[in-house]
Amino acid sequence: MNAAVPGVVQIRFSTRLEMVRPLRKMLVAVLEAHGWDEEALEDAALVATELLQNAVEHGSRHDGREDVTVRMVVQGDTCDLEVHDPGTGKGPTSLLARDPAQPPDPASDRGRGLFLVHRLSVSLERACEGAGACVRVRLVVRRTG
């Protein structure tokens, strides 16, 4: 690990889908600098994309006038990722209503995000916080050397 690379990253971004890709790239770059291997980086990128996109699409009005807060903590062999949305979209209760351990309907073109996050994470927690929702995941660090 490079000592100059932060172990904690926190950022607020506007609720526009165009923000998901650059933010995901930044988070993955931090993990890469901490020695994550390629497979772990791909898993982390998918988890981050699903959480960030869900926060914008389902947890906000999706108009760029609100913020989503992301916090990533890399410590030892773990990475904790939290995504807080403003709760103005479908509302936090819709997030809590789904069982992420249940596979989605194969005929549906939606509903795979939380299932994938659940499968790729060591833990997944969802909670109502204030008016919005927070999703917390823990990923396992696999180092390249």
Side-chain angles (χ1 to χ4, degrees):
M1 176 185 84
N2 181 343
V5 177
V8 178
V9 174
Q10 185 164 324
I11 189 166
R12 288 174 52 179
F13 72 99
S14 65
T15 54
R16 293 187 353 247
L17 285 175
E18 307 86 65
M19 299 301 296
V20 171
R21 185 172 185 223
L23 185 56
R24 179 199 67 224
K25 286 181 156 206
M26 183 200 68
L27 296 174
V28 169
V30 170
L31 295 174
E32 185 174 25
H34 276 273
W36 283 46
D37 67 23
E38 190 170 330
E39 182 181 347
L41 291 171
E42 289 173 6
D43 289 352
L46 180 56
V47 167
T49 298
E50 290 299 334
L51 294 181
L52 299 171
Q53 191 163 323
N54 281 352
V56 172
E57 285 187 339
H58 306 300
S60 78
R61 287 188 298 263
H62 198 280
D63 61 5
R65 289 186 266 180
E66 300 171 295
D67 291 324
V68 170
T69 302
V70 179
R71 178 176 169 87
M72 181 175 75
V73 179
V74 182
Q75 184 176 26
D77 291 339
T78 64
C79 171
D80 294 320
L81 182 63
E82 296 181 5
V83 179
H84 299 259
D85 69 49
T88 56
K90 291 182 177 179
T93 54
S94 70
L95 172 69
L96 301 176
R98 287 204 52 219
D99 179 358
Q102 293 298 314
D105 180 352
S108 175
D109 61 347
R110 305 215 26 109
R112 290 172 177 74
L114 278 179
F115 178 72
L116 290 171
V117 169
H118 169 73
R119 295 298 302 251
L120 295 173
S121 304
V122 173
S123 66
L124 166 64
E125 298 173 15
R126 301 164 297 157
C128 295
E129 292 191 1
C134 177
V135 179
R136 292 178 184 90
V137 297
R138 175 165 282 177
L139 303 171
V140 175
V141 175
R142 289 174 277 189
R143 301 188 183 280
T144 57

